[in-house]
Amino acid sequence: MSQNERNALPEVVGPRFARRLIARPAIALALVSAVLLSALGISSTMVGAVTTDSSRVAGNSFVAAARVDVGPYGLAAVPSNGSMFGPGPDSGVVRFSMQPEGASPIAAERGEEFALEILLPLGVQPGTLPADESGNGFRRAWSTQEENGQWVVRSVVTAETAGALTLPSGTFDIVTEFPGVLSDEAATLHAEIKLPERLMSTHPKDSVVLPVAWNVTAGVYGLGLSGSTATNAAVKVSSHPDLGGETLHLRAGDAIVTTVSVPSSVTPGRLPEATSQAGLTTTWSSVRTGAGWDVTLTETITAPIANVPTRTAQFPVSVNQQAWTSGFTMSAQTVLPARFTSSQARTETKVPGRIAKPGLGKVSAGGGQSMALTNKWLAYGWGVNASGQVGNGTTTNVLTPTWLGYPGSQDFIQVSAGGNHTVALSSDLKVYGWGARQWSLAGGSQVDKPVQVSSSNSGAFTQVSAGYNHSLALGPNGRAWGWGSASNGELGGSSSFTWPTQLQNPAGVQFVQVEAGASTTFGLGSDGTVWGMGSNAGGRLGLGPNVSKMSKFTQIPMPDDARIVQLVSNSSTTDSHTLALTDPGEVIAWGANSSGQGGTASDGSIPAALSTPTLIQLPEGVRFTRLAAGGGVSLGLSYDGSVYSWGGRTLGYAASGKVAVPHQIPSLTAKGGYVDIAAGDQHAFASSSDGNLYGWGSGQGGRLGNNSTAFQTVPVLVPQTLSREADAAEETAPTDTAAEAGVEAEVGDAGWEAPEGTADTGAEFPDEEIGDPDTDEDGSPVSQLPAQIDPASIGHGGVKPDTIVLAAENERYTVWTARDQSEAICVIALVLPDGASNSYCARPDVFEASGVSGSMDSGTAASSEDSMQTLQTYLLPDAVEAEKAAKMIPGSKNYGQLLVRFGDFRQEESHLIELPSGDRTVEMLVLSGS
């Protein structure tokens, strides 16, 4: 046979043309191969498996095997709607061809079978199969078989005649319902062709990943603002509602993009650094928008991740004072890879307004006396006591901290030491005073132990401040009250007041702090503005050199209209200066500066008096969270808990001459930093986070409390021991438990803060208490929810029926507690008679840190268009003394650890109060009463 004749042979040789190949080169090659394989110990069975590009070995002989373009082509799974299956149950079709497009027919022999097998993933089942069919020279049959929970679909084409055959394409229905998110491998559809022995496929297998859209929990949850000051806050958002995370089978190259949008009143701080670990890289960015800022976290997957943990991201922000006090709205949204549909891709949070903390702490230093409160509200005093200003019932100087009370005596939540008198705020929000001029005119009588000076119809007070010769208190609705000397207009006129008297606030201004100095009165507005009246001698009002005094509140302009969050003024001596803390933690000063106690101006000058508010120089990178002003000295508490001082006296370190730029006190190095500071007449204090108190400066009269009258250049530890009387108080007065140490200063910025304007709302309460809201006496469930409340709609996955407990009820409301499926602690409230309901839940760790609180409106109150009938509930951690907490929230009632409050409240005015909880504090948000 010539070469041309060989080239003319058909490409496919049918069985009727099969014959032994006698081409000598092929036989020789086969023999050599067989010998070599035999020498290597390979059996003839293995030889029978050898194939070439154009032949297959059958037994010990080669049979012609032609390579043909027959196999699975164009394999695809197509959903009935859209481009993906799901989320949830869905249907679609699988499509395939058995030859590539444009391929020539194959030469088939009668009876030969061409079988295509398709293995479906878990969660995919075949629908109704096509009917068996016959076509141009073939017939086709369909069948299915289940193998290990997976289905195989077979399409078998049989040649009915010998000759050219075009293999048909195929389509069959499928239904999908996946048990959960699958990996790409698990969601892959596999196909394989089975051909007659004489044929070999050039494309025997194919596979395709089903395009599936998955319903997932991953999204944005728990969007909120944390932090106790406007300049040291953080925005937090989580990827899941609980700590369990989720199986997502993320692919390399996937990205999850979460964007938090905040208004222009909120400014992002330094964003976290980029990270890369465990197959995940994170990057942060921020961009200014027309409405504010967008802060974006991009999480890029660099290696496959099957189980994705819950991630909580946070970034620092500063909030301007107006937004801090009035509240603002922020939102977050996440963009997941296209195959995922989030159950919560967007969320929005209304951050309630907060009254700026007045910055007054648990330690106070005056003209020679020193005062402190324990975390159990017991008041201690020591130091100069000629006028009874220590308050221990004598007029003898006191060398060590001494308890002021007696069994059953009043407890205090704030104390302020002035020139030679002291004022305090009791736990029932009344004002007390002792020493000289504490309530009477100058030269009047004095008392040597606490006496109530506010009348019973004055309402609830929220803060007090003792000046040199007068005192101030912050009353309902942010109104200033004053009493004492008025010779320089510090009480709004020339008439002095014997008892606390309401002063005339500026029109439309509510104060969040009042501060009494030496013949000066200051008020901090809820919008961060500063107002003052009284003497302007030496620039102490900050109104410039041409004003001698003012007899009404006058706004004091701040540099660059800075918003102020705390005011402090020296009231221990007549050499007065005042400091103002700005939103970002900078310091503005005015008044006396002869010792550098005001500070160094930005131009480097150190005038003897600062006649107008002046921004002072701070060390690079240092910002403060609290200030204190004493005689010739100023103190600052930095963000990292360090204590700084400047001035000419009582610096806490040796210095030659005045120090006019804040300098860190080097010996104050307590682990965990410091939480409170105070400065008086030649003495000062700092309390550490571990409960210790340190004092320095003059010891005259025992003002340092260290059982000595010697001057201390550097801080010394103040001994802390309880008196036997305080021990007795613990035994005889169950609501006034004694502290374990004599002087403790561990509560946050201002100890407890009561809401302004918290007059009794006239709420009605049942006569008897339900008791512990968690369980009944034997620990078994005691209640079930009414039909109008669906337990499955509460919390994460619904509440567990056997955990529902009736906590409080009367004719106006019913309250239950329960746990949801994630063990979160929930409060469910029902307002009667209309049956409006709501619920609030918190994870156990969150509950222990802050409890569960919420409010629900039930309709507009008749008394005011701006007030609502509102039910407020607070479920407190066990460490909080609920009875004392109820005292701080007028109109509230405690049922075990549950506080309930019902009445008319102004929704736009909400305030944070701090409750002692063991060695920590718990913040609660309280609406103002109308």
Side-chain angles (χ1 to χ4, degrees):
M1 181 181 294
S2 67
Q3 185 63 43
N4 289 336
E5 289 173 322
R6 292 191 183 96
N7 291 340
L9 285 173
E11 180 180 354
V12 177
V13 181
R16 60 182 172 162
F17 302 114
R19 57 182 177 269
R20 300 292 184 203
L21 298 180
I22 59 174
R24 291 184 176 85
I27 293 174
L29 179 60
L31 290 173
V32 171
S33 299
V35 171
L36 290 173
L37 291 171
S38 177
L40 293 171
I42 301 176
S43 69
S44 62
T45 301
M46 295 185 66
V47 174
V50 176
T51 62
T52 70
D53 285 347
S54 59
S55 64
R56 177 182 290 119
V57 175
N60 291 320
S61 61
F62 285 85
V63 175
R67 293 175 62 84
V68 291
D69 293 333
V70 176
Y73 293 92
L75 184 65
V78 182
S80 299
N81 297 291
S83 59
M84 292 188 177
F85 290 92
D90 206 345
S91 62
V93 297
V94 172
R95 296 174 181 167
F96 60 87
S97 297
M98 299 180 71
Q99 290 182 275
E101 186 177 356
S104 300
I106 63 170
E109 288 303 313
R110 186 174 184 276
E112 286 187 322
E113 291 185 348
F114 303 84
L116 189 70
E117 295 183 350
I118 301 175
L119 177 64
L120 303 179
L122 283 170
V124 181
Q125 296 186 18
T128 303
L129 295 178
D132 293 351
E133 60 180 317
S134 296
N136 187 14
F138 71 89
R139 68 177 183 276
R140 174 159 60 184
W142 295 84
S143 64
T144 61
Q145 182 179 353
E146 186 180 6
E147 297 179 2
N148 299 321
Q150 290 183 259
W151 288 87
V152 177
V153 178
R154 299 184 79 246
S155 171
V156 181
V157 177
T158 304
E160 292 191 318
T161 61
L165 176 63
T166 300
L167 297 174
S169 59
T171 301
F172 62 91
D173 295 335
I174 57 172
V175 292
T176 61
E177 186 170 5
F178 298 99
V181 178
L182 301 181
S183 65
D184 285 352
E185 181 180 356
T188 297
L189 183 150
H190 298 274
E192 183 176 3
I193 193 74
K194 305 292 186 182
L195 297 179
E197 186 179 65
R198 66 186 183 84
L199 300 179
M200 295 175 53
S201 174
T202 60
H203 191 256
K205 297 180 181 180
D206 200 3
S207 62
V208 64
V209 178
L210 265 70
V212 184
W214 309 100
N215 273 329
V216 297
T217 304
V220 281
Y221 299 89
L223 177 65
L225 185 76
S226 64
S228 58
T229 64
T231 58
N232 191 26
V235 172
K236 295 183 178 181
V237 65
S238 296
S239 63
H240 290 80
D242 51 41
L243 300 177
E246 191 174 11
T247 298
L248 295 178
H249 290 292
L250 296 177
R251 308 165 183 165
D254 280 345
I256 299 175
V257 180
T258 303
T259 299
V260 178
S261 299
V262 296
S264 56
S265 56
V266 180
T267 303
R270 182 177 179 179
L271 298 179
E273 299 292 337
T275 64
S276 181
Q277 58 182 355
L280 178 70
T281 64
T282 63
T283 58
W284 290 81
S285 64
S286 62
V287 62
R288 191 70 185 259
T289 66
W293 290 87
D294 281 352
V295 178
T296 299
L297 168 64
T298 301
E299 300 172 285
T300 303
I301 311 304
T302 58
I305 301 176
N307 299 313
V308 180
T310 296
R311 289 130 21 248
T312 297
Q314 71 175 45
F315 58 90
V317 295
S318 60
V319 184
N320 71 28
Q321 195 61 39
Q322 182 175 359
W324 184 256
T325 56
S326 62
F328 60 92
T329 299
M330 60 182 176
S331 63
Q333 62 180 5
T334 191
V335 178
L336 303 175
R339 63 188 181 279
F340 297 122
T341 298
S342 171
S343 60
Q344 184 165 297
R346 187 181 188 279
T347 187
E348 185 173 280
T349 295
K350 174 66 168 67
V351 178
R354 307 184 185 193
I355 288 294
K357 294 183 182 297
L360 299 176
K362 305 282 282 186
V363 182
S364 184
Q369 79 276 36
S370 304
M371 310 300 303
L373 297 178
T374 72
N375 63 356
K376 297 297 184 180
W377 304 356
L378 301 178
Y380 279 72
W382 61 95
V384 176
N385 196 30
S387 298
Q389 57 263 52
V390 168
N392 68 333
T394 74
T395 55
T396 303
N397 292 346
V398 181
L399 299 182
T400 58
T402 301
W403 181 47
L404 307 190
Y406 49 87
S409 64
Q410 180 63 56
D411 45 21
F412 296 108
I413 60 174
Q414 191 220 330
V415 64
S416 177
N420 58 358
H421 73 286
T422 303
V423 294
L425 184 67
S426 65
S427 61
D428 59 355
L429 308 182
K430 305 298 183 182
V431 179
Y432 283 69
W434 57 94
R437 303 182 180 92
Q438 81 286 1
W439 76 85
S440 60
L441 300 177
S445 60
Q446 65 185 34
V447 294
D448 52 20
K449 61 183 178 181
V451 174
Q452 182 176 329
V453 298
S454 61
S455 63
S456 58
N457 60 0
S458 299
F461 290 89
T462 60
Q463 183 238 325
V464 292
S465 178
Y468 188 72
N469 271 335
H470 73 297
S471 298
L472 302 173
L474 187 62
N477 302 315
R479 309 289 297 188
W481 292 59
W483 65 103
S485 173
S487 58
N488 289 287
E490 56 264 54
L491 297 181
S494 58
S495 297
S496 298
F497 300 124
T498 303
W499 297 94
T501 303
Q502 184 172 306
L503 307 180
Q504 184 64 48
N505 273 40
V509 175
Q510 286 190 340
F511 292 132
V512 296
Q513 182 199 347
V514 288
E515 179 73 2
S519 302
T520 54
T521 292
F522 297 100
L524 177 61
S526 61
D527 58 355
T529 55
V530 178
W531 302 76
M533 57 184 175
S535 171
N536 193 40
R540 64 183 68 183
L541 274 185
L543 293 176
N546 298 322
V547 175
S548 60
K549 66 180 180 179
M550 294 297 299
S551 296
K552 66 177 181 179
F553 277 116
T554 303
Q555 185 171 358
I556 303 172
M558 295 293 109
D560 299 322
D561 294 324
R563 294 183 180 275
I564 304 304
V565 297
Q566 184 203 10
L567 290 171
V568 295
S569 188
N570 172 38
S571 62
S572 64
T573 68
T574 57
D575 185 25
S576 184
H577 70 291
T578 301
L579 305 176
L581 183 65
T582 71
D583 245 346
E586 297 178 309
V587 179
I588 294 172
W590 61 93
N593 195 34
S594 57
S595 299
Q597 65 265 47
T600 302
S602 56
D603 61 4
S605 62
I606 311 174
L610 300 168
S611 60
T612 58
T614 303
L615 185 68
I616 70 164
Q617 294 183 15
L618 301 181
E620 184 176 357
V622 173
R623 292 296 183 268
F624 295 123
T625 62
R626 184 178 301 173
L627 302 173
V633 69
S634 297
L635 303 179
L637 186 63
S638 71
Y639 279 118
D640 64 0
S642 301
V643 180
Y644 288 72
S645 66
W646 62 103
R649 306 172 229 166
T650 324
L651 293 173
Y653 48 83
S656 58
K658 60 188 176 184
V659 176
V661 174
H663 180 77
Q664 184 175 351
I665 301 177
S667 62
L668 288 177
T669 57
K671 183 178 180 180
Y674 294 82
V675 296
D676 197 16
I677 49 178
D681 180 12
Q682 303 180 58
H683 65 302
F685 297 97
S687 58
S688 62
S689 61
D690 57 8
N692 288 320
L693 182 66
Y694 299 85
W696 62 96
S698 172
Q700 181 183 3
R703 65 187 69 189
L704 290 182
N706 64 336
N707 201 27
S708 171
T709 59
F711 189 93
Q712 302 292 335
T713 302
V714 299
V716 295
L717 184 65
V718 178
Q720 302 182 38
T721 56
L722 280 177
S723 64
R724 293 189 178 185
E725 289 82 1
D727 290 332
E730 182 177 14
E731 297 175 0
T732 59
T735 59
D736 291 331
T737 306
E740 294 180 356
V743 180
E744 297 180 32
E746 300 176 318
V747 179
D749 286 341
W752 280 47
E753 278 185 48
E756 66 70 27
T758 49
D760 195 330
T761 61
E764 300 178 16
F765 299 98
D767 294 332
E768 62 178 359
E769 297 183 9
I770 302 296
D772 188 342
D774 290 333
T775 59
D776 67 357
E777 291 182 359
D778 62 3
S780 61
V782 297
S783 187
Q784 61 183 6
L785 298 178
Q788 64 262 45
I789 301 178
D790 180 11
S793 66
I794 299 170
H796 183 67
V799 296
K800 299 178 179 180
D802 60 352
T803 67
I804 300 171
V805 176
L806 178 63
E809 70 174 339
N810 68 4
E811 69 276 10
R812 308 183 79 173
Y813 55 77
T814 307
V815 184
W816 298 264
T817 62
R819 286 182 180 263
D820 68 10
Q821 298 300 322
S822 69
E823 293 299 321
I825 298 167
C826 301
V827 176
I828 306 113
L830 178 70
V831 176
L832 304 172
D834 61 348
S837 64
N838 206 343
S839 61
Y840 332 98
C841 300
R843 298 194 314 263
D845 60 326
V846 175
F847 170 77
E848 289 300 327
S850 59
V852 185
S853 65
S855 62
M856 175 175 54
D857 294 334
S858 62
T860 304
S863 60
S864 171
E865 294 181 357
D866 298 325
S867 297
M868 302 291 293
Q869 290 288 338
T870 302
L871 175 69
Q872 290 186 278
T873 57
Y874 312 87
L875 184 59
L876 302 172
D878 290 340
V880 177
E881 296 184 45
E883 290 185 4
K884 289 189 176 181
K887 291 182 180 180
M888 291 298 297
I889 309 173
S892 67
K893 173 71 172 178
N894 74 287
Y895 304 83
Q897 290 303 106
L898 178 73
L899 268 62
V900 183
R901 185 172 179 242
F902 187 89
D904 301 348
F905 307 118
R906 283 189 293 276
Q907 290 288 328
E908 72 276 8
E909 295 181 12
S910 53
H911 318 281
L912 281 179
I913 66 172
E914 290 183 339
L915 313 178
S917 177
D919 58 356
R920 301 178 292 106
T921 59
V922 169
E923 287 187 342
M924 290 201 323
L925 191 68
V926 180
L927 299 179
S928 295
S930 60

